[in-house]
Amino acid sequence: GLFVVTLSMVTVIELLRLERGLATEESLSSLVDAVMEARRFEKNYILYQDPKDLAQSADYVRQAEDILEKHTERISVIGAPDMAPKLSVLFAGYRAKLDDYVKGPSADTEADLRHAGKAMTDSAHQMAAWRRGDLHRAMRTHRYVLIGVVTGGLALILISGTLVSLGVTRPLRQMQRCMEEVAAGEKLKRIDLPSNDAEIRSLAEAFNLVLGELDLRSQQMLVSEKLASLGVMLSGVAHELNNPLSNISTSCQILLE
């Protein structure tokens, strides 16, 4: 029972970890998609100068910022806890560079905008890659836990089988041999079962009580048989004495007459 409870707890914990990892992966995937869409509309705006593309790029940046703000704690990466604040700064810097380019389009502002966009995209991809690495590590850990559970289960089965053999099977086999000896007519004797189990000891005591009762009944039957033999012998002796005494009695009566 303890093994089953422990196994259930470990399984639930591992499943919760995997669930959190998958949720984090979904959040990061949405974040990366928003960043890539913002970059795509940014390039369209640079090429065609369509205000709709500018608005779409700004909307996707805001979406990325909302995702980052909503899931900052979830997507924080072990080993790089400052990545989320850094990415937030990059988002703000990208919007500022986008505004600078809109106010004064030039080769310099365009280069600054592309550089800010590339830094934002690289950081988002780096964070997503780290989280995928964490997810893979969680999967490997889950696999190791599963292997450990299977190994522990097999070991538990072997240990339980050994304990059952020592505590139950062997004493019962010894009792079976004693019963076979009793059935074969051998001398009755008490048995001592080497077991710490209270039920096995109780069974041995009951069997010894039965053996004691059988021994007592056997002695009583032996005495009864001896008495019966003595009765038969005395009956024969009386018969043998009765015949000559009858003849003597008859002869005495004749002589008296």
Side-chain angles (χ1 to χ4, degrees), residues 167-224:
V168 178
T169 306
R170 289 186 180 180
L172 292 180
R173 287 179 179 174
Q174 182 177 350
M175 180 175 290
Q176 180 182 1
R177 288 193 297 269
C178 293
M179 290 180 177
E180 291 174 352
E181 292 175 359
V182 171
E186 297 184 12
K187 185 178 179 180
L188 302 179
K189 58 183 179 180
R190 292 179 56 85
I191 60 173
D192 184 16
L193 299 181
S195 176
N196 295 325
D197 190 271
E199 295 179 353
I200 297 296
R201 292 198 301 269
S202 177
L203 182 61
E205 291 174 359
F207 185 72
N208 289 329
L209 179 61
V210 170
L211 291 180
E213 291 295 328
L214 287 176
D215 189 23
L216 180 61
R217 296 296 187 274
S218 177
Q219 293 178 4
Q220 291 177 352
M221 288 181 63
L222 182 59
V223 172
S224 298

Side-chain angles (χ1 to χ4, degrees), residues 133-150:
D134 288 342
L135 187 59
H136 289 314
R137 285 191 291 273
M139 292 296 294
R140 285 195 298 270
T141 302
H142 185 69
R143 183 168 62 249
Y144 295 149
V145 169
L146 181 60
I147 294 174
V149 166
V150 173

Side-chain angles (χ1 to χ4, degrees), residues 8-255:
S8 302
M9 292 178 60
V10 170
T11 303
V12 169
I13 292 173
E14 289 299 320
L15 289 177
L16 289 176
R17 286 183 58 191
L18 290 176
E19 184 179 357
R20 288 195 297 268
L22 290 175
T24 303
E25 183 64 24
E26 292 176 358
S27 301
L28 282 175
S29 178
S30 300
L31 177 65
V32 172
D33 290 342
V35 170
M36 297 306 296
E37 288 296 320
R39 294 301 312 281
R40 183 170 70 85
F41 282 105
E42 166 213 322
K43 294 176 182 177
N44 289 340
Y45 178 75
I46 293 175
L47 291 175
Y48 305 111
Q49 297 295 315
D50 188 352
K52 293 182 179 179
D53 293 332
L54 179 62
Q56 288 288 341
S57 179
D59 287 341
Y60 277 112
V61 172
R62 282 192 292 271
Q63 289 182 19
E65 289 178 329
D66 292 340
I67 294 173
L68 183 63
E69 182 179 358
K70 184 178 180 180
H71 304 289
T72 299
E73 183 177 355
R74 175 180 291 178
I75 63 180
S76 295
V77 183
I78 299 175
D82 59 338
M83 180 56 70
K86 177 183 177 182
L87 197 58
S88 180
V89 172
L90 290 175
F91 286 158
Y94 176 78
R95 283 193 292 103
K97 297 298 181 181
L98 186 62
D99 292 338
D100 292 340
Y101 178 77
V102 173
K103 294 177 181 178
S106 64
D108 293 337
T109 55
E110 180 180 346
D112 292 339
L113 177 60
R114 291 182 181 276
H115 179 73
K118 185 176 184 304
M120 179 179 64
T121 304
D122 291 343
S123 296
H125 281 296
Q126 184 180 12
M127 179 180 284
W130 283 345
R131 289 307 302 174
R132 283 194 296 270
D134 288 342
L135 187 59
H136 289 314
R137 285 191 291 273
M139 292 296 294
R140 285 195 298 270
T141 302
H142 185 69
R143 183 168 62 249
Y144 295 149
V145 169
L146 181 60
I147 294 174
V149 166
V150 173
T151 304
L154 293 176
L156 183 63
I157 291 173
L158 292 176
I159 294 173
S160 300
T162 303
L163 293 177
V164 168
S165 177
L166 294 176
V168 178
T169 306
R170 289 186 180 180
L172 292 180
R173 287 179 179 174
Q174 182 177 350
M175 180 175 290
Q176 180 182 1
R177 288 193 297 269
C178 293
M179 290 180 177
E180 291 174 352
E181 292 175 359
V182 171
E186 297 184 12
K187 185 178 179 180
L188 302 179
K189 58 183 179 180
R190 292 179 56 85
I191 60 173
D192 184 16
L193 299 181
S195 176
N196 295 325
D197 190 271
E199 295 179 353
I200 297 296
R201 292 198 301 269
S202 177
L203 182 61
E205 291 174 359
F207 185 72
N208 289 329
L209 179 61
V210 170
L211 291 180
E213 291 295 328
L214 287 176
D215 189 23
L216 180 61
R217 296 296 187 274
S218 177
Q219 293 178 4
Q220 291 177 352
M221 288 181 63
L222 182 59
V223 172
S224 298
E225 290 177 355
K226 289 181 179 180
L227 291 175
S229 300
L230 182 60
V232 172
M233 182 187 68
L234 292 177
S235 176
V237 170
H239 179 71
E240 293 297 327
L241 291 175
N242 184 56
N243 289 333
L245 288 176
S246 295
N247 293 331
I248 292 172
S249 176
T250 303
S251 300
C252 289
Q253 291 176 4
I254 293 172
L255 290 176

